[in-house]
Amino acid sequence: MTTTITFNELRKIKDMLPSGSMQRIATELNIDAETVRNYFGGDDYNEGKAGGLHIEQGPDGGIVKLDDTTILDKAREILRI
């Protein structure tokens, strides 16, 4: 199931995460930390993979369609939101 969120909302969640959270999420999900960073808008595809997100231009940074919310769910779990 695809989930939709604004790019700014996604970045806000990333910015609220405590230091070390990208690595923590990666470790808990057994994926590369760069893949987690790419999920939140990074673009290092030499080290990490695409995060299953599709960005469409628009207000509030545009719309992000997430194919898989596992990383987002883990981030929200850390933040307890």
Side-chain angles (χ1 to χ4, degrees), residues 1-21:
M1 176 189 257
T2 302
T3 297
T4 303
I5 186 171
T6 68
F7 183 76
N8 287 347
E9 288 174 306
L10 187 64
R11 292 297 289 192
K12 182 179 177 184
I13 290 170
K14 179 220 171 254
D15 292 343
M16 290 173 27
L17 288 167
S19 180
S21 293

Side-chain angles (χ1 to χ4, degrees), residues 65-79:
K65 293 183 181 178
L66 303 169
D67 295 336
D68 183 345
T69 62
T70 305
I71 294 172
L72 179 60
D73 295 341
K74 188 59 72 173
R76 286 179 169 159
E77 181 182 309
I78 290 169
L79 295 172

Side-chain angles (χ1 to χ4, degrees), residues 13-79:
I13 290 170
K14 179 220 171 254
D15 292 343
M16 290 173 27
L17 288 167
S19 180
S21 293
M22 296 295 130
Q23 185 60 54
R24 176 180 168 188
I25 292 169
T27 300
E28 290 182 16
L29 298 178
N30 198 31
I31 58 176
D32 190 284
E34 286 304 320
T35 299
V36 177
R37 288 183 187 90
N38 290 345
Y39 188 89
F40 286 103
D43 62 357
D44 183 353
Y45 300 109
N46 292 325
E47 294 294 322
K49 297 179 182 174
L53 60 93
H54 314 279
I55 301 173
E56 297 177 17
Q57 297 297 320
D60 212 14
I63 300 296
V64 179
K65 293 183 181 178
L66 303 169
D67 295 336
D68 183 345
T69 62
T70 305
I71 294 172
L72 179 60
D73 295 341
K74 188 59 72 173
R76 286 179 169 159
E77 181 182 309
I78 290 169
L79 295 172

